[in-house]
Amino acid sequence: MHLEDSVGTGLDLSMLVRRENVPGPWTPPGILTRLQQHRLGQVIKEIERQPNPAMLALGFQILKIGENSFVSLSKIIEDIMRRTMMDGGQHDVSVPLANGKSGLTIHVNLLSQEEAEQRLAAHCEVRKYLERAESWFGLVLDAHSGQIRFGLQISGPWTHDPELEATELFKTLRRGSSTKQIALPKFKAKKIGRNDPCPCGSGKKSKRCCYS
């Protein structure tokens, strides 16, 4: 297949911007720039700027999913961010990647760094085990901005683990339940009135935004 010179030119210019920090588009116009408006597109943009091989591998895995799935997952992420802002609890989503050989779990919570890391690691370990995947990625996003707080990757061959199967987290996730049903630290959440400003930051009244 022959590609016109204009295709390579756009890529070359963007690589020059990345290597030399000269003014110009970081990404040439196309599928990537069209998806940047969605929450998951913003996540990929953050991953792209991190010199972390595991996170870059995750970015490539995300880019392999279809556009409809990409948009749907973005909407789910927006929803769990709003839920965490409303009730102060943890909300999450897990999806398979790379034909089931890998997967991704995204947590949104208000926990400390240490607690959030422990919870994410445990969740990803169980998800990887349940799916018998070769690796599993995990991200914790900031509930306010959606920015990545931190991420991790668990890799290794699947082996039978009776101790893991005896844990409450394994039993809960095997039933298809969300970890939000597991006992979480109690938060004192401020009650939001229908006419109060919506806590998601939209500037609208709560009844016209996330109140429902």
Side-chain angles (χ1 to χ4, degrees):
M1 180 174 62
H2 175 72
L3 298 178
E4 294 183 4
D5 291 340
S6 59
V7 175
T9 300
L11 294 172
D12 287 341
L13 289 174
S14 292
M15 291 308 298
L16 185 64
V17 171
R18 294 167 184 244
R19 288 194 302 263
E20 307 296 338
N21 292 321
V22 298
W26 182 267
T27 304
I31 184 67
L32 295 180
T33 53
R34 188 166 82 248
L35 295 177
Q36 281 181 357
Q37 62 180 304
H38 300 289
R39 177 61 61 186
L40 197 54
Q42 296 173 24
V43 169
I44 289 179
K45 191 174 182 180
E46 279 194 76
I47 290 174
E48 192 178 27
R49 296 177 182 271
Q50 296 185 21
N52 184 316
M55 290 297 97
L56 291 176
L58 170 59
F60 282 118
Q61 295 287 357
I62 294 174
L63 288 174
K64 291 180 181 179
I65 68 177
E67 185 172 355
N68 289 338
S69 299
F70 191 101
V71 173
S72 296
L73 183 54
S74 294
K75 292 179 179 179
I76 293 173
I77 295 172
E78 294 279 3
D79 180 62
I80 62 177
M81 287 173 58
R82 282 194 294 268
R83 289 171 181 264
T84 295
M85 291 294 295
M86 294 292 287
D87 63 19
Q90 173 177 294
H91 298 277
D92 54 78
V93 58
S94 295
V95 293
L97 299 172
N99 296 321
K101 294 182 179 180
S102 184
L104 169 64
T105 291
I106 296 177
H107 279 193
V108 180
N109 56 46
L110 302 177
L111 300 174
S112 67
Q113 180 87 2
E114 182 178 2
E115 290 177 298
E117 286 180 354
Q118 291 175 352
R119 182 157 294 176
L120 180 65
H123 193 148
C124 289
E125 183 179 9
V126 174
R127 282 291 181 191
K128 177 181 178 299
Y129 185 85
L130 283 168
E131 301 297 331
R132 299 196 176 200
E134 296 174 2
S135 67
W136 204 269
F137 296 93
L139 292 176
V140 172
L141 304 185
D142 182 86
H144 301 272
S145 65
Q147 293 182 329
I148 299 173
R149 290 176 58 189
F150 59 86
L152 58 81
Q153 179 186 20
I154 298 176
S155 301
W158 187 91
T159 56
H160 182 234
D161 189 341
E163 292 185 5
L164 187 147
E165 292 182 0
T167 63
E168 288 300 319
L169 179 58
F170 174 86
K171 295 174 183 177
T172 301
L173 294 183
R174 186 176 59 177
R175 291 195 300 267
S177 303
S178 169
T179 53
K180 65 187 178 185
Q181 296 178 351
I182 297 174
L184 299 175
K186 293 183 179 180
F187 293 90
K188 292 183 178 179
K190 178 183 176 182
K191 187 174 181 180
I192 307 297
R194 286 172 53 82
N195 292 312
D196 292 338
C198 186
C200 76
S202 66
K204 301 178 182 178
K205 289 185 178 181
S206 180
K207 65 182 179 182
R208 300 188 183 280
C209 195
C210 301
Y211 186 83
S212 60

